[in-house]
Each structure stands twice: as C-alpha cells, then as structure tokens.
Amino acid sequence: MNKLKKISTAFISVYDKSGINEITTELNNLSVQIISTGGTAEHIKKNGIEVSPAETLTGYPSILGGRVKTLHPKIFGGILSRSDNKEDQNHIKEFNITKIDLVIVDLYPFEDTVKSGASKKEITEKIDIGGISLIRAAAKNFEDTLVVSSSKQYSKLMEMLTKHNGETTLQQRKEFAAEAFNISSHYDTAIFNYFNSELEIPAFKASHSSGRKMRYGENPHQKAFFYGNLNEAFDQLHGKEISYNNLLDIDAAISLISEFKKQTFAVIKHNNACGVASRPNLTEAWKDAFAGDPVSAFGGILVTNATVDQATATEINKLFFEVIIAPFYDENALNILREKKNRIILLKKELNLPDEQVRSVLNGLLVQERDKKTEATQETEVVTTLSPTDREFQDLEFANKIVKHSRSNAIILAANKQLIAGGVGQTSRVDALKQAIEKAKALGFDLNGAVMASDAFFPFADSVEIAGKAGITAVIQPGGSVRDKDSIDYCNKNKMKMVFTGIRHFKH
C-alpha cells in the first residue's frame, strides 16, 4: 500500500475559500499546475498564484448561470484515467487530456441553506452537481488521484506537501477516498430527506458525519458506537468517558426534564425516574427527589433545569452518582462536584431533539414520530361527578409528565409535586400499581390525598379500586376502555376524581 505518486496537477473548486491560500501557495512552491473554476480561480489569482481557468481545458465557458462549469471529458478524463491502463493512456494522448492527480472540492452548503429557512428555489440551487461529481470521480480513481473533500483534511494535505514533497501513498489516497464517499453519501442523504419530507417515499436514509467508539455496549462483551455530535447537546466539564448505558440514561433524563417549566430535580435509573420534585428552592427539590427512592438513586443520573448552587451541590455530593446534568453551575458548586474524579458533570445546551425515533427490529428499522404531546389541565376531561381540586390538578399534570417517560406498563403516584413511587415495566397494570403502592409504603409515604397517573387505560375497575383503598383521591388516564364506565362508577361511589386525557403514552 506504499505506491508513491507525486502530485503534478491539481484541480480546485471550493465554495468556502478558507484555508485555500496556504494550500495553493505550497502547491505553487512544488511547481504543481493549478486548474480552477470561477470564483475559486479569481481568489487564487488574488493571492498571486498562477492558475489556469477550467475554460482553457474545456473550450467552454461556465454556462446556465454556473450550473455547468466542470462537466466535461477534458476534466473528468484527466481525473479518471488509469496510469496502468493502456487504452486510457492512448485516449489521454489522442484527446490531449491533462492528467489530474489532486482534486480539492468544497461543496455548496445544502444543509445550512435548508436550516436557514431559504426559499425552495435557493435550496435547489445549492444542490451541488459538478462538485459532487468531481469528488466521486477522484475517489473512484484513488489509485492515481488524491481527493480532498473537506477543509478538515487540509492539515493532512499540507503535511504531504511540506514533509513529503507532494508525494502520496496508496494507503493515504484510499483513506481520503473513503472520507470522500462518506461526505458525498451524507450530502445525497440530506438532499433525499429534504425532498422526501413532502413525498414520503417508503425509504429510510440517515447519515451522521461524526461519531465515537464507546468503551463497550450495554455489557462489556458488546461493541458499540455513537453516531452524532454530542457537543451539540452538552459540554462535559468533568469526569470519565461517557458510556453506552450513560447515554441511554442521559437521553431519558433530558427528555424528562424538558417537560418541566418550574424548577425541578429528577433522578433517573435505567431510563426510568426514581425521584422527581418541583420546588421553589433547588436544594429542597433535590432532597424531595432523592426521598422518592434513596436506594435506587445510588449510582443514578441527576438532572435539573436550574442552576446548581453551592448549597445544593453540598447535599448531592453526599451521594454516589454517575452523572449530573444542568444548564448552569456556579463555580463553588463545580468545585464541590469535581471532588470525585470519575463523576461526569454535563452542562446542558439548548437542543431540539430529532422529530423521529429509530429502532432496529428484526432485519429492519422501526421509525416513529417523537411523542411530543403532554396534556395540560385544560385539555383533560373530568369524567367523574367530583372534579379535582387545584392542587390535585397540579399533581395530576405533574404525575402525567413522569408516566409519559416511564416504561410500560407504568403507574406513577405523586403528591405535592413529588414523585412518591412508580411501578414501571410491568406486564400488567395492576402489578405496576401494586408495586408502586408497596414501594411508597416501604418508604414511609402517606398515600392519603395522593394522585395516580397511568400511561394507558384501565381495562377493568380493579386498578382504581386498589388505588382508592390505598388512599389515592384523583386519577389521570387516557380512557378508551370498553369498561371505562366501571372505573368511573367506582370513583363516583367512593368520592374519587378521575380525568381522561384521550392520549396514550406507551413506552416500550
């Protein structure tokens, strides 16, 4: 893989001119012929570097408003010709084609144009044709041609030019070609998804241009990768490398805390909330969240939507936990939290989570819209004779936010904007409720006046009966069972209140 080739002719066409002056200066020092197009050629000339316009090769000017500049056999023949192919070399001589062994391209910024809210016409014009063709051609012929498809590769190219006198190895050219196909496939995926957002062709395309290898997956014997840019979600201020399981819990934590506007603290364990509380004072919010399940909180993920201050940091520092996530920390709080070397401290950024969720199933993928619906009090329907009090409505809304983010079958018990207990991931709703009641009693909570939230309807009246006998006075659930009347009748006979949301929140 050490087949050396010296660069003699370079073709350059870049949208973003940043960093290109240094490259062309070094190419000029090595007596490399430079061929370029339009604005790129003008930019190179201004730097005092000799450049041949593409028109001198093709005999054609840029036409159709710049849509056609490079699509010509004189250019693509020079890029695609194989040095070890006799017929190719005969054609090169016959048609007087200049061999091109370095191609540098920076594509039109299609994704950025879409994100900017530009018009459809502007977006369409930012679909690169010539550039993507140049990249693919040069990458295909990597045995003879080096392709540079991103400014991120300029430093490596400069090293080849300065330290190796413009010589490249076959291995280097192959690596650059692989990156070129990575960039071109990502570019085409973005274009397809833009068009398919309206057409809904039954095909799935996804591409992430960055990623990282994880230490391992859910278990040490499983390999794992994360594809995406975590720096868009948070800054890691301290601690060890984030693990696969950490990321699953971090995702669950951020999704849950995003539901709350008032100051809230939550503890997550294995993707489920084991403690949540909303309080005007953050330290009190932490203490009440922790009280929701002190045993499960050990080794958990802590998340808040408020600034972590010194007083709160002092309290949470008493617990062993893996990760803490917050939008801000004061300096004294950070100093306290950094006392544990491996503790992961994350500074949460504003992040719009993807509209779609993707899971692998059997030999394919399941794709669904993210569950963005959270029912406010005014959107619910009171179905019992008695209506919940203002406090009960607040607690019902609070509990409903938590149950939405709990594994089905799920039941959440809450009082005074505090998670008292949850029954999650159970095969029957009654078992989930019994689990929650048992846990609440074991932790010393008084269920009299508490509320209950269910992620799906009650198929029978047994759940509200068990809840009522435990002291629960108000229930929030989707409704929709053929036996809804049985549950409503029990509530009315026992002075319980119940509201329907009309929205199920299964989470598997």
Side-chain angles (χ1 to χ4, degrees), residues 5-11 27 32-33 78-79 81 98-104 138 141-142 144-147 166 168 173:
K5 291 195 75 70
K6 187 173 176 62
I7 297 169
S8 59
T9 305
F11 190 96
L27 290 171
V32 174
Q33 180 187 0
I79 295 170
S81 63
T98 300
K99 172 58 187 170
I100 297 171
D101 39 34
L102 171 62
V103 173
I104 304 176
N141 199 32
F142 68 90
D144 288 291
T145 307
L146 177 69
V147 57
T168 65
R173 295 192 295 277

Side-chain angles (χ1 to χ4, degrees), residues 231-248:
N231 293 328
E232 294 177 355
F234 51 73
D235 289 327
Q236 183 169 352
L237 306 180
H238 183 74
K240 64 182 180 180
E241 181 182 346
I242 295 172
S243 72
Y244 181 98
N245 290 332
N246 287 155
L247 276 182
L248 292 176

Side-chain angles (χ1 to χ4, degrees), residues 26 146 175 185 305 340 364 394 396 470 494:
E26 195 57 40
L146 177 69
E175 289 172 357
S185 62
N305 55 7
K340 303 296 183 181
Q394 291 178 20
L396 288 170
N494 292 275

